[in-house]
Amino acid sequence: LALGAYEVSPLEMANAYSAFMSGGVICTPVADTKAVRSDTKEEPPVPDPDCHRAIDKDVADTVADVLKEPFKRTGTLGQLGRLKDREAGAKTGTTNDFAANW
């Protein structure tokens, strides 16, 4: 299922993979972290992202290490080079007929 058997939005995919890079913690995506009404200067409440452990930290860290492999010099994305000041991860490959090419 994680390899593209069903349709997934980019936000859902990014949120799912964020659990690996955060050591197993996942949060509900919240688009706004702060809002201020222009007329009253009131700050409406922002939804709670409900962060919680979803994956064992050791498992998440292992998957994160695997996802970094494509960016190594000999990896499939090695020619792109590394990002400055941050690590990157990727799942290479695709589904049939490039239906879910992430």
Side-chain angles (χ1 to χ4, degrees):
L1 295 178
L3 298 177
Y6 294 97
E7 290 187 23
V8 178
S9 74
L11 179 60
E12 290 171 313
M13 186 65 78
N15 194 46
Y17 276 78
S18 73
F20 302 127
M21 298 310 292
S22 68
V25 175
I26 196 163
C27 304
T28 302
V30 175
D32 297 318
T33 58
K34 181 178 180 179
V36 179
R37 288 184 53 120
S38 60
D39 57 349
T40 65
K41 306 299 183 213
E42 177 188 357
E43 294 185 17
V46 176
D48 179 7
D50 185 32
C51 298
H52 59 279
R53 176 155 310 281
I55 304 170
D56 178 80
K57 182 177 181 350
D58 291 337
V59 172
D61 290 346
T62 300
V63 174
D65 283 342
V66 170
L67 292 172
K68 294 173 194 173
E69 290 294 319
F71 285 99
K72 290 189 176 178
R73 188 174 50 82
T74 57
T76 56
L77 301 173
Q79 68 218 14
L80 298 175
R82 294 181 161 243
L83 299 174
K84 285 188 175 186
D85 302 323
R86 71 177 72 187
E87 294 180 306
K91 175 204 139 333
T92 58
T94 187
T95 58
N96 294 344
D97 302 320
F98 298 99
N101 193 7
W102 293 97

